[in-house]
Amino acid sequence: CNPVPGDSLIGFITRGYGVSLHKSDCPNVVMNREKPEYEGRWVDAKWDVAEHESGNLFEAKIDIRARNRITLLADITAALADMKVSLLAINTQMKDIDSIMLNIVVSCKNLDHMKSIIGRIKSIPDVESCDRGYA
């Protein structure tokens, strides 16, 4: 689910791959936390305080629903470029004749940075919703 520093974390002990980190409210955690077959495999996890200020970049998925228009994608990429945010992946899907869903992956420093990215995208004309996505 691509947690970033500032997110509340939980770890899941995988078979053969170590511990997988998830946001505490990740849909996978919510659906599976109480399942008997996973008992004993959930562990507490937290960010190293230094990670908040490390300058490292993390991947974050953002889901955007908007009224489709010719320059919408250009406006979104320009806003990201103005913020010096790298666009790592993009997927688009028409929802109906006037509406489009964009799933993007961007690089961000932490939760506050991601919130500022979402806030900036929400300010773009014709963006109906912009929320944190889950991988």
Side-chain angles (χ1 to χ4, degrees):
C1 66
N2 295 45
V4 297
D7 283 330
S8 175
L9 295 178
I10 189 167
F12 180 75
I13 301 170
T14 66
R15 290 193 169 100
Y17 297 102
V19 175
S20 174
L21 294 177
H22 294 268
K23 287 181 59 198
S24 296
D25 62 351
C26 168
N28 288 326
V29 172
V30 172
M31 288 186 326
N32 296 305
R33 181 116 192 229
E34 301 302 322
K35 288 186 177 179
E37 62 264 35
Y38 298 132
E39 186 177 346
R41 295 179 65 190
W42 296 101
V43 295
D44 290 332
K46 63 180 181 175
W47 290 100
D48 182 340
V49 175
E51 198 65 50
H52 288 277
E53 301 163 2
S54 68
N56 290 338
L57 295 175
F58 298 84
E59 291 184 9
K61 185 176 179 213
I62 299 174
D63 296 331
I64 306 163
R65 187 175 182 111
R67 192 174 67 78
N68 198 15
R69 60 182 167 77
I70 292 172
T71 60
L72 177 67
L73 186 56
D75 292 345
I76 292 169
T77 56
L80 295 173
D82 286 345
M83 295 181 76
K84 299 189 180 356
V85 171
S86 294
L87 178 62
L88 306 174
I90 186 167
N91 182 34
T92 62
Q93 181 181 11
M94 291 293 295
K95 288 300 185 184
D96 57 48
I97 191 93
D98 293 324
S99 187
I100 190 167
M101 181 64 127
L102 296 96
N103 309 108
I104 65 173
V105 179
V106 298
S107 60
C108 67
K109 299 172 191 168
N110 54 40
L111 186 58
D112 288 337
H113 187 215
M114 188 189 58
K115 287 178 180 178
S116 71
I117 295 166
I118 288 172
R120 176 64 182 92
I121 293 171
K122 282 182 176 180
S123 73
I124 295 171
D126 298 318
V127 169
E128 297 166 354
S129 67
C130 180
D131 300 291
R132 176 110 180 241
Y134 294 90

